[in-house]
Amino acid sequence: MSSNELFDALNILEQEKNISKDTLLEAIKVSLETACKNHFGKAENVKVIIDPETCQFQCYQEKTVVDVVEDPVEQISLEAAHQMDGAYAVGDVVRVEVKSKEFGRIATQNAKNVILQKIREEERKVVFDEYYSKEKDIVTGVVQRYVGKNISINLGKADALLTESEQIKGETFEPTERIKVYIVEVKNTPKGPKILVSRTHPELVKRLFESEVTEVKDGIVEIKAISREAGSRTKIAVWSNDPDVDPVGACVGMNGARVNAIVDELRGEKIDIITWDENPAILIQNALSPAKVISVIADADEKSAKVVVPDYQLSLAIGKEGQNARLAARLTGFKIDIKSETQAREAGDFFDYENDYEDEEYDEYDEYDEYDEADESYEEGHSEEE
């Protein structure tokens, strides 16, 4: 191969494989040194010079001029040195060019293997670096096949593994289906990068909001906290750094377009968006939405709170199988003890309440039917904690 052909080949590899030409030239240099060692038995005195601009290379041995040659690999006779230049004397170091064409078949094959191995290593490194930079972010992948209960997903240049524990219960996929996943971890292995992805991680929801809501992406609206039961329900608390921007409205979007796009990606998972507040009592009240709250007494030191709700709102506040209260506790970081107004009065925990809700009809909450049947195991006054 001429230097021009080598130059063109390296440029193609650099463009297609994203491997640095300097790295490839270094691999060629190492391969020539390896070939010399295999051919001559040693390579300590071998020097390889490559011009990165033209890809012309020269390989030579540095030999010491002696009267009597004892080691032909590292020594040259005075007579032979004079044939090259009559000015050489005993003790001088002579550069003797090594012709790569003189290498044997095995030495040549070994040199080729060194280059190919370096190319493979660099390919793996490039892929690893690309996906390592996307760790803790979401990517779109194509479902390939089920490997036992795990799912192999192609991300473009590499395959990722969606393990059973990171799958949403009941969620199934067909081959060639496109899905969004959260990259949990990228490990470098001898066989290439091992990429672990998730569909259940709370950060998946956060990244989806960043991709759908411009205000979140730009930092105008912040997602302060997330609690999630994957496949069922998620609560997120949002805050606006701009008083003119409604954080909940920005996340919901016109006619619910933004949040609905995320719900569709999560296969119908319900999402409650509430306003963050530095006041724990107000935050807890918001977190228990859609239930109405009469009063909240929060103990910031103990990270606990006593909540009183109207009698007819108790099952709504607790939620089906305790989900609403459980997610609210995780979102706020407080242990929440929910009691109905009657329970609170009987326990002596509540006295000064004017029944602002007595004229309201319960029918207005029919849209939350999913909460109406609280798990029987959740007795009235049940305490939820994160």
Side-chain angles (χ1 to χ4, degrees), residues 14 44 47 152 168 209 213 215 233 251 259 271 366 386:
E14 187 173 40
E44 287 78 7
K47 303 296 179 183
S152 175
I168 296 176
F209 270 98
V213 183
E215 291 84 352
R233 198 174 207 94
C251 292
V259 71
I271 299 177
D366 284 350
E386 185 176 359

Side-chain angles (χ1 to χ4, degrees), residues 358-370:
E358 63 183 358
D359 295 327
E360 293 183 17
E361 294 296 327
Y362 182 66
D363 290 343
E364 69 176 289
Y365 299 104
D366 284 350
E367 60 181 303
Y368 302 112
D369 286 343
E370 67 268 25

